[in-house]
Amino acid sequence: MSWVWMEFQAVNHGIENSFLEEVCEVAKQFFQLPMMEKEKYARQKGEFDGYGNDMILFQNQTLDWNDRLHVSLIPEDEKKRQYWPQNPQSFRRILNELTTKIQQTEKLLLKSMARSLRLEEDCFLKKFGERRIIDARFNYYPPCPRPDLALGLKPHADSSTITFLLQDKEVEGLQVMKDDQWFRVPIIPYAFLVLVGDQMEIMTNGIFKSAVHTALANSSKARHTMPIFCTPEPEKVIEPLGELINDKRPRLYKAVRNYVDTYYDYYQQAKRPIDAAKI
Ligand SMILES: O=C(O)CCC(=O)C(=O)O
Ligand SMILES: [Fe+2]
């Protein structure tokens, strides 16, 4: 496998297309269920997990044109099974399989990222802690009557270290910012788009930049995507690795902890949380 930075599409990632097809299928079926059925998994106030739409934290924030189901995969004892749908029936089995498979892909990628910086290959995983987090989100963007007035998702970079994004196989919508311009991301069926998140930017002292991205709304077609977020254990201190600080590249970021907790306050106000971590 070869990687390029900020965001890139990973094709030979080790997870079979047939399995990813099953994942897409159960997600589609879930969002087609009657509202009463989906609301059995409704997100409760103050939680991330569950079924719902954009969180309202501020009166004047813009809302994302998107429904989502958020589920935690690891650590095992924190996965809040009450939010793992039992309908469609195969959903839980598929989430269990996804949990095993994505951890292998994550390890492979993190080792490869470390090697590309001439670092010891386990350096990222060690910093993330024994109880690092992986969660998956199923996004559903219904057709929007006025796509000129709404966004599927506001521009943001993820709070994760890395995010694996499985895009819709037929409907485009994702855009990534580069040199202050938006670029559309083409669809490669069954590829994961790997997005560098804020906590990787901090750890690599800005060598890998977190990718600012947005999802457009669409007037005629529904769109489904699945990002999987990899995040350090919340109590771990995340800061630039000593090996990546030197005279030419002084330390650029403060140490952070519980980064995800403050992240949404910034997101909902369309601000970049990583700016608060800059020295
Ligand atoms: O749906 C997409 O294309 C992007 C999803 C995303 O960026 C997110 O959920 O953080
Ligand atoms: Fe994102």
Side-chain angles (χ1 to χ4, degrees):
M1 239 184 291
S2 63
W3 318 99
V4 284
W5 302 120
M6 193 145 106
E7 80 293 320
F8 58 93
Q9 311 248 21
V11 274
N12 296 318
H13 46 60
I15 304 188
E16 313 79 15
N17 294 355
S18 56
F19 176 71
L20 293 176
E21 190 55 49
E22 276 191 280
V23 175
C24 297
E25 209 36 54
V26 284
K28 272 189 193 157
Q29 287 169 15
F30 175 80
F31 286 107
Q32 281 164 6
L33 292 172
M35 191 50 97
M36 261 177 53
E37 182 62 25
K38 287 184 285 201
E39 289 205 326
K40 288 186 187 161
Y41 308 99
R43 186 181 68 222
Q44 303 300 306
K45 205 170 175 339
E47 297 243 14
F48 286 114
D49 286 20
Y51 168 72
N53 35 40
D54 202 6
M55 278 185 241
I56 302 178
L57 299 184
F58 299 96
Q59 270 183 350
N60 53 355
Q61 75 180 59
T62 39
L63 284 178
D64 295 335
W65 190 268
N66 145 305
D67 267 12
R68 75 271 313 248
L69 169 72
H70 196 114
V71 291
S72 303
L73 305 181
I74 60 163
E76 171 69 27
D77 57 353
E78 288 204 15
K79 66 183 187 194
K80 301 191 184 146
R81 293 263 290 186
Q82 68 270 30
Y83 295 120
W84 282 37
Q86 283 176 297
N87 189 355
Q89 228 189 355
S90 53
F91 212 146
R92 288 191 170 185
R93 172 186 58 80
I94 287 172
L95 287 177
N96 276 326
E97 276 183 46
L98 182 65
T99 306
T100 310
K101 290 176 197 284
I102 202 68
Q103 287 182 72
Q104 288 162 2
T105 309
E106 181 209 20
K107 283 188 187 144
L108 191 71
L109 173 62
L110 290 173
K111 286 181 178 185
S112 161
M113 289 176 91
R115 281 197 304 269
S116 77
L117 294 173
R118 298 182 204 286
L119 298 170
E120 191 257 307
E121 65 172 17
D122 284 327
C123 68
F124 292 123
L125 280 161
K126 279 188 196 147
K127 296 271 175 196
F128 295 171
E130 297 275 300
R131 293 175 58 77
R132 73 187 199 285
I133 297 171
I134 302 185
D135 36 28
R137 190 161 127 173
F138 296 88
N139 286 317
Y140 165 58
Y141 303 91
C144 171
R146 289 294 303 270
D148 53 326
L149 295 180
L151 279 171
L153 277 186
K154 289 180 273 300
H156 66 282
D158 295 341
S159 63
S160 58
T161 51
I162 45 170
T163 303
F164 294 98
L165 175 67
L166 183 66
Q167 292 210 75
D168 194 294
K169 285 199 308 295
E170 277 140 31
V171 186
E172 272 188 17
L174 184 68
Q175 301 215 325
V176 174
M177 173 85 85
K178 211 162 189 208
D179 304 326
D180 291 325
Q181 278 194 316
W182 288 114
F183 290 88
R184 52 170 270 274
V185 179
I187 295 170
I188 303 179
Y190 308 115
F192 276 119
L193 180 73
V194 178
L195 294 158
V196 171
D198 283 353
Q199 298 199 68
M200 185 57 91
E201 175 168 332
I202 294 171
M203 287 183 89
T204 62
N205 202 22
I207 296 178
F208 297 149
K209 292 265 183 285
S210 65
V212 176
H213 51 286
T214 189
L216 302 182
N218 174 316
S219 63
S220 58
K221 291 181 187 142
R223 177 166 177 264
H224 292 264
T225 64
M226 177 186 63
I228 300 176
F229 305 103
C230 304
T231 316
E233 188 179 321
E235 293 308 315
K236 286 279 169 197
V237 173
I238 295 300
E239 59 186 342
L241 295 170
E243 298 92 318
L244 301 177
I245 302 173
N246 53 44
D247 292 346
K248 286 206 193 105
R249 175 171 280 275
R251 178 176 176 141
L252 298 175
Y253 304 86
K254 299 178 212 159
V256 297
R257 269 170 78 203
N258 283 315
Y259 189 73
V260 179
D261 279 1
T262 46
Y263 176 84
Y264 279 94
D265 286 353
Y266 285 83
Y267 175 76
Q268 298 301 34
Q269 299 185 87
K271 293 190 210 154
R272 288 208 65 191
I274 198 162
D275 288 342
K278 286 188 179 147
I279 288 178

